[in-house]
């Protein structure tokens, strides 16, 4: 059986130590997955901060429609 530990941080470097992330913005999950998978979507040099900023931009674009 396993364990789940919830971690909250504003430091994206710390978030990379987790197996799975749920990035939240304004109380909503805007990205979910393994850190490497989320970064891979943006390109080989992407950092977690890039993922978070891009996810926020996509969410705000959806809200403005």
């Amino acid at each position: 059986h396993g364990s789940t530990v919830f971690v909250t941080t504003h430091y994206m470097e710390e978030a990379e130590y987790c197996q799975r992330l749920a990035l939240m913005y304004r109380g909503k999950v805007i990205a979910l997955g393994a850190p490497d998978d989320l970064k891979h979507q943006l390109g080989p040099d992407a950092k977690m901060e890039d993922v978070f900023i891009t996810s926020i931009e996509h969410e705000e674009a959806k809200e403005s429609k």
Side-chain angles (χ1 to χ4, degrees):
H1 308 38
S3 297
T4 299
V5 176
F6 285 94
V7 176
T8 180
T9 184
H10 289 95
Y11 300 103
M12 293 296 104
E13 299 84 23
E14 288 180 356
E16 290 196 60
Y17 291 111
C18 299
Q19 290 179 329
R20 190 166 180 208
L21 301 175
L23 301 179
M24 297 185 74
Y25 179 64
R26 295 183 177 170
K28 222 172 149 181
V29 174
I30 59 172
L32 182 65
D36 287 341
D37 294 341
L38 294 172
K39 291 187 298 183
H40 180 73
Q41 294 173 14
L42 293 183
D45 297 326
K47 296 182 175 133
M48 280 311 303
E49 188 170 335
D50 301 327
V51 172
F52 188 56
I53 291 168
T54 301
S55 298
I56 288 172
E57 291 170 347
H58 285 218
E59 184 62 26
E60 287 183 345
K62 286 191 321 188
E63 289 177 0
S64 67
K65 290 182 181 180

